[in-house]
Amino acid sequence: MKLYAYFRSSASYRVRIALNLKGLDYEVVPVHLLKNGGQQFSQEYLQLNPDGLVPVLVDESTGGEALTQSLSIIEYLEETHPEPRLLPESPLDRAWVRSLALTIACEIHPLNNLRVLRYLMRELKVSEESKDTWYRHWCEHGLASVEKMLSRDSRTGTFCYGETPGLADCLLVPQIANAQRLQCDLSAMPTIMRINAACQELEAFAKAAPAVQPDAE
Amino acid sequence: MKLYAYFRSSASYRVRIALNLKGLDYEVVPVHLLKNGGQQFSQEYLQLNPDGLVPVLVDESTGGEALTQSLSIIEYLEETHPEPRLLPESPLDRAWVRSLALTIACEIHPLNNLRVLRYLMRELKVSEESKDTWYRHWCEHGLASVEKMLSRDSRTGTFCYGETPGLADCLLVPQIANAQRLQCDLSAMPTIMRINAACQELEAFAKAAPAVQPDAE
């Protein structure tokens, strides 16, 4: 499999973790989001993904279609390589884990995307400081929701759901990395920080970290 | 089942369509997002969903747990009531349909949420006009991506995927309703407009429309 990714993109990071947890081989094809006006806007890349976003997964074993959207890619990996599983078995528990993942994927990350931050600065003439405040606001607000969800639920274990890492952890760890990079205040979020630390000890997460990617700067 | 929803919330609208397509009975419990500072922030509602967002689905037949995040709720409905199916059978096609849905759920809707628009106006002191420009920008940009994806793919039929309505249509129709309400320019998007028109002819979509909800204004 080929994963078109940018080392610092948290959506790419999610998919790397999922691939590693499932023990799948893949080659990273770096797509630099900043150099030369952004390689994601090249004609070649737009053929793969007209939305100009990373990551894209190409699975040659099933025909080489370019798959987009990190959550959709992870669900695809779950369906084609069911073990080890990233989602629980019961529909209620699956809904729970997906709702944790979607809280990060829909309520935090889209607001802090590169193109959104650019719009704030270029179109709305927002200062660097206000942009960073915006970033921290949505990150802290969303992670506080995840903290509340996890801290009151009996299914929370060493990881977001029980004792094995899964879909929600694939989203949580990259989001915390972003939060720390922008100096968000995570002091009131002991549950997610404890889970993040447990994940960091696993090779699947360590190997997926931005700093150890081939295109890391 | 009980669906806590606001008539104009497009995330609620998505779930109403899915419930109707599956022919499931449900009672709508209106949650007014604007009245009295927002009923979604009442202690009672925050017990259901600490994130203070609609919709929430409560399925008494499986224990009455409060399910959040519209896409997670629809996947739950798909798993517990498989027929008629909203997702195709093959993993590749499922990934395709989910990527269409997630393009709307992650790249458009989060940017145009009530709380984001409020932040723009209250914290960033953005004018009403710039706020509307922001809304239209993300809506037009995201729908243009969906148009490109659908117009070049052979799986596109009367609906987003083939000849029966499914998950992607559940997300597309509410997003187009929002786009039209804010006078977005959809003139260069014939595929999505054709699909939207086909959906509108179905009772499942008509019954889910904001204007016919019990709390419609």
Side-chain angles (χ1 to χ4, degrees):
Chain A
M1 288 191 243
K2 269 189 196 153
L3 182 69
Y4 293 79
Y6 179 55
F7 76 106
R8 201 176 260 163
S9 137
S10 64
S12 306
Y13 190 178
R14 295 169 188 167
V15 177
R16 291 196 299 265
I17 297 169
L19 284 161
N20 294 346
L21 284 172
K22 290 198 173 282
L24 297 168
D25 263 338
Y26 62 99
E27 176 199 346
V28 170
V29 183
V31 180
H32 203 293
L33 301 190
L34 302 170
K35 258 186 218 158
N36 305 326
Q39 294 176 347
Q40 74 277 28
F41 301 125
S42 70
Q43 277 312 310
E44 195 190 340
Y45 191 76
L46 290 175
Q47 268 308 103
L48 282 177
N49 185 4
D51 213 12
L53 294 172
V54 287
V56 161
L57 183 79
V58 173
D59 182 357
E60 298 89 352
S61 74
T62 54
E65 186 182 333
L67 305 180
T68 67
Q69 288 289 337
S70 60
L71 273 177
S72 173
I73 293 171
I74 298 175
E75 295 265 2
Y76 168 83
L77 294 172
E78 180 76 353
E79 291 175 357
T80 51
H81 300 85
E83 298 293 337
R85 54 191 317 155
L86 301 181
L87 279 167
E89 212 169 326
S90 90
L92 270 182
D93 289 351
R94 293 165 75 83
W96 168 244
V97 171
R98 285 193 179 112
S99 71
L100 289 165
L102 286 160
T103 297
I104 295 169
C106 294
E107 312 305 336
I108 307 177
H109 183 252
L111 296 157
N112 294 340
N113 230 335
L114 179 61
R115 63 187 181 192
V116 173
L117 302 179
R118 277 188 175 153
Y119 189 101
L120 286 175
M121 297 192 71
R122 292 179 187 172
E123 309 299 326
L124 298 179
K125 311 291 179 204
V126 157
S127 68
E128 186 84 26
E129 195 192 332
S130 293
K131 183 203 71 175
D132 288 347
T133 305
W134 160 283
Y135 193 108
R136 285 192 284 265
H137 174 81
W138 298 113
C139 209
E140 291 170 4
H141 187 280
L143 286 176
S145 292
V146 177
E147 173 70 25
K148 260 184 252 166
M149 292 169 80
L150 287 170
S151 64
R152 71 181 200 174
D153 197 281
S154 63
R155 290 165 288 195
T156 306
T158 301
F159 300 100
C160 286
Y161 177 87
E163 297 309 310
T164 46
L167 175 68
D169 305 291
C170 292
L171 276 85
L172 181 62
V173 167
Q175 191 57 57
I176 291 184
N178 279 356
Q180 289 175 324
R181 196 155 49 84
L182 268 285
Q183 280 117 40
C184 291
D185 179 5
L186 306 174
S187 57
M189 308 185 194
T191 314
I192 62 172
M193 295 312 285
R194 171 181 65 68
I195 292 170
N196 182 58
C199 290
Q200 299 295 353
E201 289 185 22
L202 302 180
E203 201 194 350
F205 288 82
K207 272 173 51 190
V212 299
Q213 298 313 302
D215 56 334
E217 285 158 9
Chain B
M1 287 190 245
K2 269 189 195 151
L3 181 70
Y4 293 79
Y6 179 56
F7 76 106
R8 199 176 262 163
S9 139
S10 64
S12 306
Y13 190 177
R14 297 169 187 168
V15 176
R16 290 194 300 264
I17 297 169
L19 285 161
N20 294 346
L21 284 171
K22 290 198 173 281
L24 297 169
D25 264 338
Y26 61 99
E27 175 199 346
V28 170
V29 183
V31 180
H32 204 293
L33 301 189
L34 303 171
K35 256 186 220 159
N36 305 327
Q39 294 177 346
Q40 74 276 29
F41 301 125
S42 70
Q43 277 312 309
E44 195 190 340
Y45 191 76
L46 289 176
Q47 269 307 106
L48 282 177
N49 185 4
D51 212 13
L53 294 171
V54 287
V56 160
L57 184 78
V58 173
D59 182 356
E60 298 88 351
S61 74
T62 54
E65 188 182 330
L67 305 180
T68 67
Q69 288 289 337
S70 60
L71 273 177
S72 174
I73 294 171
I74 298 174
E75 295 265 4
Y76 168 82
L77 295 173
E78 180 75 354
E79 292 176 355
T80 50
H81 300 85
E83 297 295 336
R85 53 192 316 156
L86 302 181
L87 279 166
E89 211 169 327
S90 91
L92 270 183
D93 289 352
R94 293 165 73 84
W96 169 244
V97 171
R98 285 193 179 113
S99 70
L100 290 165
L102 285 162
T103 298
I104 295 169
C106 294
E107 312 305 336
I108 308 175
H109 183 252
L111 295 157
N112 293 340
N113 229 336
L114 179 61
R115 63 187 181 191
V116 173
L117 303 179
R118 278 190 175 154
Y119 189 101
L120 287 175
M121 298 194 69
R122 292 179 187 172
E123 309 298 327
L124 298 179
K125 311 289 179 208
V126 157
S127 69
E128 186 85 25
E129 196 192 332
S130 293
K131 182 203 71 175
D132 288 347
T133 304
W134 161 282
Y135 194 109
R136 285 192 284 265
H137 174 80
W138 299 113
C139 210
E140 291 170 5
H141 187 280
L143 286 175
S145 292
V146 176
E147 172 71 24
K148 260 184 254 166
M149 291 168 80
L150 287 170
S151 65
R152 71 181 199 172
D153 198 279
S154 62
R155 290 166 288 195
T156 306
T158 302
F159 300 100
C160 287
Y161 177 87
E163 298 308 311
T164 46
L167 175 67
D169 305 289
C170 292
L171 275 85
L172 181 62
V173 167
Q175 191 58 57
I176 292 185
N178 279 357
Q180 290 174 325
R181 196 154 50 85
L182 268 285
Q183 279 118 43
C184 291
D185 179 5
L186 306 174
S187 57
M189 307 183 194
T191 315
I192 61 172
M193 295 313 285
R194 171 181 64 67
I195 292 170
N196 183 58
C199 289
Q200 300 294 352
E201 288 185 22
L202 302 180
E203 200 194 349
F205 287 81
K207 273 173 50 188
V212 299
Q213 298 314 301
D215 55 334
E217 283 158 12

